[in-house]
Amino acid sequence: MMINIILLASIGVFLLYALYDQWGMNRLKGKTLLKITVQKRTKMDALIFIVLMGILIYQNQGQIPIVTLYLLAFAILLSLYMAFFRKAFIYFKQEGVFFDNFFVDYRKIAHLNLTQDHFLVMDLTNGKRLSAKLAEKEDEKRIFAFFNHSKEKK
C-alpha cells in the first residue's frame, strides 16, 4: 500500500512538472520574445529506467498487486513521454532566460557564446557554465538577431 502512495505522489509531481514545463515557463516572467528548441539529453537515462522497471515487473510476476502494476506502467509511459515526445526549449524573455527550467537574469550572465558545433554556452557571474545543443542550425541566426536587436534598443 505504501509503494502505491509513493508511486501516485511521484506521478502527481511529474504531471505538475510537465504542466509547468510545457505551459508555465512560457507564461512566467513576461512575454516570450524568442523560443529556441534544444536537443534533449535524457534518452539514455529514460531507457535505463524503463529497462529496470521491466526487470522489476518480470522478476515479481504474480506478486505485484494489479494497482501497483498499473502505476508502474503509467510511470513507464511518463518516462517515454519525457525522453521521446517532449521538446526542450530555451525561452528568452525581456529580463532573462528560462534555461533547463530555471530563470537566469541577463545581469547574471557574464558571457554568451555559440560554438561551431551549435552549442549555446552561458557563463554565469557565479562561475557556473550552462550549455545546450541547438536543435536547428538556423536558431543561431535567430539568437544573434535577438541580441543585436536588444542592443540596438538600449
Side-chain angles (χ1 to χ4, degrees):
M1 181 65 181
M2 186 64 167
I3 191 73
N4 290 347
I5 293 170
I6 293 170
L7 281 170
L8 199 56
S10 298
I11 289 169
V13 168
F14 178 84
L15 290 174
L16 288 174
Y17 165 74
L19 290 172
Y20 168 75
D21 185 51
Q22 293 299 313
W23 294 288
M25 282 189 295
N26 196 25
R27 290 177 170 62
L28 290 175
K29 304 280 186 181
K31 182 181 176 188
T32 299
L33 303 175
L34 180 63
K35 181 178 172 181
I36 301 293
T37 306
V38 295
Q39 289 183 353
K40 295 179 286 192
R41 301 175 277 200
T42 60
K43 289 182 181 181
M44 186 56 78
D45 295 338
L47 286 174
I48 292 169
F49 175 75
I50 290 166
V51 167
L52 289 174
M53 295 291 277
I55 291 170
L56 175 77
I57 292 169
Y58 179 76
Q59 291 289 326
N60 294 302
Q61 280 181 344
Q63 299 171 7
I64 300 176
I66 193 75
V67 173
T68 306
L69 192 59
Y70 282 122
L71 290 172
L72 289 171
F74 195 70
I76 290 171
L77 288 175
L78 290 175
S79 297
L80 286 171
Y81 163 75
M82 280 298 289
F84 299 104
F85 299 110
R86 175 188 152 265
K87 287 188 176 185
F89 296 104
I90 297 175
Y91 297 97
F92 291 93
K93 305 285 187 158
Q94 187 69 35
E95 300 295 322
V97 59
F98 272 104
F99 190 92
D100 279 343
N101 301 320
F102 293 102
F103 186 75
V104 179
D105 194 299
Y106 288 130
R107 293 174 289 188
K108 294 184 179 183
I109 299 174
H111 301 283
L112 184 69
N113 298 310
L114 287 166
T115 66
Q116 289 180 344
D117 50 349
H118 312 296
F119 271 90
L120 175 67
V121 181
M122 288 187 221
D123 292 320
L124 304 180
T125 56
N126 64 3
K128 294 188 180 189
R129 177 175 279 182
L130 305 173
S131 67
K133 184 161 177 59
L134 302 177
E136 299 179 26
K137 294 177 186 180
E138 295 81 33
D139 288 338
E140 287 181 12
K141 295 174 186 171
R142 292 174 56 208
I143 292 171
F144 277 125
F146 174 76
F147 283 105
N148 285 334
H149 182 70
S150 296
K151 283 182 183 179
E152 291 171 3
K153 281 187 173 180
K154 292 180 180 180

